[in-house]
Structures are given as structure tokens and as C-alpha cells.
Amino acid sequence: MAKKINNNKNFRYSIQAFWALVTNSFLIGFVQGKIYQGKIKNVCVPGLNCYSCPGAIASCPIGSLQAVIGSYEFKWSFYVAGFLIFIGAIMGRFACGWLCPFGFIQELLYKIPFVNKIKTFKGDRAMRKLKYMFLVVFVILMPIFIVDIIGQGAPYFCKLICPAGTLEGGLPLVLMNKSLQETVGWLYAWKNLLLIITIIGSVIIYRPFCKYVCPLGAIYSLFNPISVFKYHVDKEKCNNCHACSNSCKMNVDLVKNPNDLECIRCGSCKTICPTHAIEYKCLQKTSKKD
């Protein structure tokens, strides 16, 4: 069983690493300190990956959504909205578990040994709702209503909050550009402070940014109960041993709700289930065997 679990983890890590490399394959950008601005940049990727990362070849859907909403020529972005709905409707938060570079980084940080890893705490579930507040306030409302003299809003989540942007875009660009180094101020210091908090938090808590802050995870989570790809628990096979729930680092009770809003579809529950009671389900078809 242990070998099977490790194989499943290693397979997922391989997919995460591969996808992170693909979406950041403009490697010359890290040498030149420049951002790729080719035509592929008009395309969104499923995960949180900063537009300003020197290696990024495509766009973050959250950054794109804010850019359109905050534009003084505001037009509802059917492309970005349609992309998010499409990904969510097909796979729910599967994108968080398998295709998000910043989620992968947090998982690597969680592997660093620490004296007392925190699985949950009082107020944990309530704090999970914060990510919906970040989505509504920083991604939607602030870009619409806090504007400059020509009516242009700003991508406030990227500008004030997102540690992925600081790690993937802010730090490398400032380190490689002297002109940018002369312009950094309190906002850059604030973003770096949030990044440090996120890094330390990720060593202690599994994916804290995904649990409490990420607006992209908030959007995808709404589709978990209705997505094409979902989990199903065969009640006749389940012996209520709770091995699945005990193994879940997102603290989901699979028996109670296999398509909980917090489930990132990592598959650890399915692998560890001794009776193979957890199955993948696509529309009405289920995977009968692990």
C-alpha cells in the first residue's frame, strides 16, 4: 500500500512539475529579465501563474479577469469568464491539485521538516471562506469602483495581495533590472512580507494560500459538486474506516461529501481506500477499479 501511495504522489508531482515548466517555458526571459509578450500570452492557463513571470508564456485567468473588469472601456470578458466556467465545469478543483504552479510550490515547501505541522485548528473551516471575500472584493469590486481620473481600475488582488506574483514576477524582474530596483517602495516591501508569511505558512500548513486566499480556487470550488469529473463513494463497499479522511491534507470528509468545495482532486483518498469504495465519475460512468 505504501508503495502504491508513493507512486500516486510521484506521478502527480511529475505532472505538476511538467505543467509548471510548460507554462513557464520562456526560459530566456529569466536571463534577459524580460517578459514574453507573444501571441500565446493572450491565452489563459488553468492555474495561478503570474503574467509577469519572465518565463510565463500565457496569462493567469485571475489577472486577466481583473484587467478586463478594471478597464475604462469595460466590456465583460466572455473569453475569461467562459474559460473559467469551462475548466470548472469539466474538472472542478482538479486544476488546483494537478495544474497550478503555485499550488505545487506550496506542496514542495510543506515537505520541509518542521517540529509541528498543523493539520487543522479552531476556526479553520470558517477561514476557508476568506477566499470568496478576496474574490468578490479584490478581484471584482475594487477594480470596478476604485478607479483613476479616466475611469481605469487596477488589478488590486495582483497589486496588493498575490504572493505568487511577487515570487514569480516581482522578485526576478527587480533582481535583474536596475531601473526597477530604483523604483521599489513600500508596496514592494508589503508584497515581500506577504510572500514571506506565505512561505513560512506553507512549511507549517498544507497549501494555506489555496485554503484561505486563492480567488481562483474559490471559483473552481463552486463547480466541484456539479463538474463532469467528480468523486463517488460506493456506500456498499465503504466500511467507514475513515482512512480517506485521515489522509486528506485538505481536511475533507470524503464519506460525508466526496465533492466538498475544498477537495482538490489529488487522488490520495482513492489510493489509500482499502475497499476501493472511492471511484472517479465522469457523467454517469464510474471507474470500477483503482
Side-chain angles (χ1 to χ4, degrees), residues 140-198:
I140 298 175
L141 295 181
M142 289 179 68
I144 292 176
F145 295 109
I146 302 179
V147 297
D148 59 21
I149 57 174
I150 64 169
Q152 182 73 39
Y156 285 102
F157 183 80
C158 299
K159 183 178 180 180
L160 301 176
I161 305 293
C162 188
T166 309
L167 179 65
E168 299 171 4
L171 282 178
L173 288 178
V174 169
L175 288 174
M176 291 184 288
N177 291 278
K178 289 186 178 179
S179 58
L180 288 179
Q181 293 171 11
E182 296 170 356
T183 63
V184 298
W186 69 268
L187 184 57
Y188 187 72
W190 164 251
K191 292 291 298 293
N192 276 282
L193 175 62
L194 292 181
L195 175 61
I196 291 170
I197 293 172
T198 303

Side-chain angles (χ1 to χ4, degrees), residues 232-245 253-256 273-279:
H232 169 73
V233 176
D234 188 331
K235 299 293 185 184
E236 294 183 359
K237 293 181 179 177
C238 178
N239 61 5
N240 289 303
C241 68
H242 296 289
C244 54
S245 303
D253 186 340
L254 268 293
V255 177
K256 186 177 179 181
C273 179
T275 61
H276 306 295
I278 300 173
E279 303 166 338

Side-chain angles (χ1 to χ4, degrees), residues 24 41 48-54 56 58-60 162 164-166 168-170:
N24 294 284
K41 217 52 179 285
L48 201 76
N49 194 69
C50 185
Y51 177 97
S52 297
C53 174
S59 295
C60 173
C162 188
T166 309
E168 299 171 4

Side-chain angles (χ1 to χ4, degrees), residues 234-273:
D234 188 331
K235 299 293 185 184
E236 294 183 359
K237 293 181 179 177
C238 178
N239 61 5
N240 289 303
C241 68
H242 296 289
C244 54
S245 303
N246 293 332
S247 73
C248 181
K249 292 186 174 67
M250 294 298 284
N251 311 117
V252 172
D253 186 340
L254 268 293
V255 177
K256 186 177 179 181
N257 183 5
N259 296 292
D260 189 284
L261 302 186
E262 295 299 317
C263 176
I264 59 171
R265 317 294 203 201
C266 71
S268 65
C269 55
K270 186 176 185 297
T271 305
I272 204 169
C273 179

Side-chain angles (χ1 to χ4, degrees), residues 19 23 33 66 109 122 141 151 194 228 234 239 248:
W19 187 251
T23 53
Q66 293 171 91
L109 289 168
K122 188 177 181 181
L141 295 181
L194 292 181
V228 172
D234 188 331
N239 61 5
C248 181

Side-chain angles (χ1 to χ4, degrees), residues 11-12 15-16 46-47 87-88 90-100 207 217 220-221 223-224 227 229-231 261-267 280:
F11 175 68
R12 191 168 67 89
I15 296 295
Q16 289 175 298
I87 296 295
I90 295 295
M91 60 181 74
R93 291 192 74 178
F94 179 91
C96 303
W98 293 75
L99 302 175
C100 180
R207 285 184 170 230
Y220 289 153
S221 74
F223 292 91
N224 259 8
S227 61
F229 177 79
K230 59 173 74 170
Y231 285 172
L261 302 186
E262 295 299 317
C263 176
I264 59 171
R265 317 294 203 201
C266 71
Y280 297 143

